[in-house]
Amino acid sequence: MDYKIPRGTYDILPQQSYKWQKVIDAFRKIAAVCGYQEITTPVFEQASLFERSSGESSDVVKKEMYRFQDQKGREFALRPEGTAPVVRSYVENRLDLGGSNTKLFYIGPMFRYDRPQAGRYRQFYQYGIEFIGSDNPYFDAEVISILWNYLTGLGLRRLRLELNSVGCPQCSTAYDTALRNYFQPSLADLCPDCQLRFGQKPRRLLDCKVPSCKQIAAYAPSQLEYLDDACKVHFSAVQDNLGLMQIPFTINPRIVRGLDYYTNTAFEIVYEGLGAQNSLAGGGRYNGLIEQIGGKSIPAIGFAGGFERLLLALDEEEVELGAPGVPDVYVITLGEAAQKLVLPYLNALRGAGIYAEFDPDKASFKAQLKAADHSQARFALIVGEDEVAANQVTLKNLQSGEQQTLPLEPSDRIIQLLKA
Ligand code: AMP
């Protein structure tokens, strides 16, 4: 029987792993210098958590969620996104009672039953930030700046930060009414999904990809015209803060975000070199979500981005992410006595953090030297018959060809030379 990987998933093969490590490490680093701590939640949660937070009519919940029942008939879902689980944990662990700001980040796989294509998978890895505790527009800018600095720090240049405000629930209600008035005359021409959206969340009409719906939506009123005074002041302060941080942005009133829980600031970072799936990351404020999930009423803001599209963008921009590790030293032996001499060494070297390769299956000296060259190791540590007789090892610099003989004990000297 031929086993195949499930559609919409992929293996991260060894020769790509170093790139993943690099972008993951960089994210951990930038989150740490801004005071964010990592949180890890399970990959599955009660399905109702997502229905409650993302909205039962959202595409994610309606069409894309992997649901299953456990042996006792309880309804679970593989998490389609990271914010609701983080907020669930925040509330469950009483972090909302502390009274101070909470700065969290996460990294992990998410699952959506989506139509697979380049940059769109059914299991994908997200990195995300959640700032919980304040409505101060400084924190909107802080969260956005982390994302911006992360992506530009990795070397991406063709980025566009798009910013919008979706207002508070009051402004949203006014806007929904305006949208219904706008779409009402064309209702019969909208796709079946949009006809449902019209009744439920008319803002989702703006997100539809069906060409005829896009055409109808082209002149829809803008959310920004329906912001109340407080939301206008907040939005303008976010822009001022971004300006002071010298982060360039454009206003895009069409950014609605797919999930129900967003309030005020909404943003997306688009990479101009990718095709249809050009959104690298997105996020926004969710001032009502914590209360909705059973906690206190506490404002919050966050974002999530996908590593797959990030790596595609880095490839597209030909950013070098270094290379897979090469050995510091390749150990070469000839004969059984040499191998016995060298094993304690090998162990000491690795214990000291030196990357040492050894392959006793390669019997001949020539084959081992060839393998050492091939591995691009900086040094070869050679123990042949002569070395065994003299209780010595030869350390050869494979780049310069220079070599020196060293007494077999102690290994500290070799460790020093290799670490230099
Ligand atoms: P969202 O949670 O839908 O706002 O998505 C945030 C980011 O996650 C997007 O900008 C993408 O980078 C990534 N993403 C979302 N869905 C997928 C998917 N199906 N496959 C790969 N990446 C995704």
Side-chain angles (χ1 to χ4, degrees):
M1 184 172 186
D2 279 347
Y3 290 109
K4 292 261 173 3
I5 194 165
R7 190 164 132 77
T9 68
Y10 55 86
D11 297 314
I12 303 173
L13 296 172
Q15 59 270 32
Q16 286 144 10
S17 277
Y18 75 94
K19 293 189 181 176
W20 283 80
Q21 286 314 323
K22 190 95 181 198
V23 290
I24 289 173
D25 288 351
F27 187 66
R28 286 211 165 94
K29 229 173 243 161
I30 192 138
V33 299
C34 299
Y36 288 69
Q37 288 179 311
E38 187 157 4
I39 179 164
T40 305
T41 62
V43 294
F44 67 98
E45 297 271 355
Q46 287 172 273
S48 55
L49 172 68
F50 301 106
E51 289 161 355
R52 194 80 211 274
S53 55
S54 301
E56 292 198 47
S57 65
S58 63
D59 280 356
V60 161
V61 168
K62 235 172 49 190
K63 302 183 191 161
E64 298 168 4
M65 210 152 75
Y66 279 92
R67 287 169 165 278
F68 63 96
Q69 282 190 347
D70 73 0
Q71 276 74 348
K72 291 210 167 142
R74 289 172 289 219
E75 289 281 331
F76 288 105
L78 293 181
R79 61 179 180 196
E81 58 101 30
T83 300
V86 167
V87 170
R88 191 267 310 137
S89 171
Y90 173 85
V91 172
E92 191 174 353
N93 290 295
R94 299 313 202 57
L95 302 181
D96 59 332
L97 303 183
S100 56
N101 294 335
T102 306
K103 296 170 145 197
L104 304 169
F105 77 91
Y106 60 85
I107 291 170
M110 305 295 158
F111 307 84
R112 291 183 198 171
Y113 190 79
D114 229 337
R115 194 167 59 80
Q117 52 190 290
R120 188 172 283 285
Y121 304 92
R122 289 182 174 168
Q123 174 174 333
F124 55 99
Y125 277 80
Q126 278 190 337
Y127 54 92
I129 285 274
E130 310 295 356
F131 169 87
I132 307 175
S134 167
D135 195 31
N136 190 321
Y138 159 74
F139 289 110
D140 301 55
E142 174 174 295
V143 164
I144 295 173
S145 73
I146 296 173
L147 178 59
W148 181 259
N149 291 339
Y150 173 53
L151 298 174
T152 52
L154 284 170
L156 291 179
R157 294 290 168 264
R158 292 153 66 192
L159 297 171
R160 205 171 59 238
L161 167 61
E162 301 192 341
L163 193 65
N164 189 22
S165 172
V166 298
C168 63
Q170 286 77 31
C171 324
S172 294
T173 310
Y175 183 49
D176 284 351
T177 308
L179 283 178
R180 286 203 182 95
N181 290 340
Y182 173 82
F183 283 107
Q184 178 76 55
S186 326
L187 196 53
D189 302 321
L190 295 171
C191 74
D193 274 350
C194 278
Q195 292 187 359
L196 278 179
R197 289 172 184 139
F198 179 86
Q200 293 163 337
K201 291 274 162 192
R203 267 180 291 168
R204 293 222 180 91
L205 287 160
L206 303 176
D207 232 5
C208 185
K209 303 285 178 285
V210 175
S212 53
C213 293
K214 272 177 127 169
Q215 221 172 4
I216 295 170
Y219 299 101
S222 155
Q223 167 81 71
L224 295 176
E225 294 160 26
Y226 291 85
L227 292 185
D228 64 20
D229 287 346
C231 290
K232 269 188 201 151
V233 168
H234 189 274
F235 189 40
S236 126
V238 173
Q239 295 175 58
D240 290 347
N241 280 307
L242 285 173
L244 290 169
M245 290 179 168
Q246 297 172 345
I247 296 175
F249 60 88
T250 52
I251 304 285
N252 178 356
R254 284 308 176 91
I255 293 190
V256 291
R257 314 283 307 139
L259 310 179
D260 269 2
Y261 51 64
Y262 287 105
T263 52
N264 294 100
T265 311
F267 59 94
E268 219 165 287
I269 290 195
V270 166
Y271 180 71
E272 286 162 2
L274 292 182
Q277 309 304 321
N278 65 358
S279 156
L280 287 190
R285 252 195 189 280
Y286 49 92
N287 287 352
L289 181 62
I290 293 157
E291 193 174 15
Q292 203 180 325
I293 289 183
K296 296 213 302 194
S297 168
I298 298 178
I301 176 161
F303 69 74
F307 284 120
E308 294 80 4
R309 289 186 204 171
L310 170 55
L311 288 167
L312 285 173
L314 288 165
D315 249 8
E316 171 66 27
E317 203 151 305
E318 294 178 3
V319 172
E320 277 295 327
L321 286 175
V326 297
D328 298 308
V329 58
Y330 199 102
V331 176
I332 296 175
T333 60
L334 206 61
E336 219 171 285
Q339 190 169 324
K340 277 202 175 129
L341 272 185
V342 104
L343 285 192
Y345 257 94
L346 188 63
N347 209 32
L349 292 177
R350 289 173 173 170
I354 289 169
Y355 174 10
E357 272 293 356
F358 177 55
D359 180 1
D361 279 342
K362 292 200 168 42
S364 82
F365 199 75
K366 211 172 131 194
Q368 291 182 73
L369 206 55
K370 205 167 139 192
D373 266 341
H374 190 71
S375 76
Q376 299 182 324
R378 280 166 57 221
F379 288 96
L381 183 72
I382 304 166
V383 186
E385 281 158 359
D386 293 350
E387 281 87 358
V388 172
N391 235 6
Q392 286 178 331
V393 296
T394 299
L395 190 65
K396 179 172 180 178
N397 183 321
L398 291 173
Q399 276 135 31
S400 65
E402 226 173 89
Q403 62 181 52
Q404 52 185 314
T405 344
L406 300 159
L408 202 51
E409 294 289 342
S411 51
D412 298 9
R413 171 96 185 104
I414 295 190
I415 291 173
Q416 250 176 21
L417 284 170
L418 290 172
K419 280 200 162 167

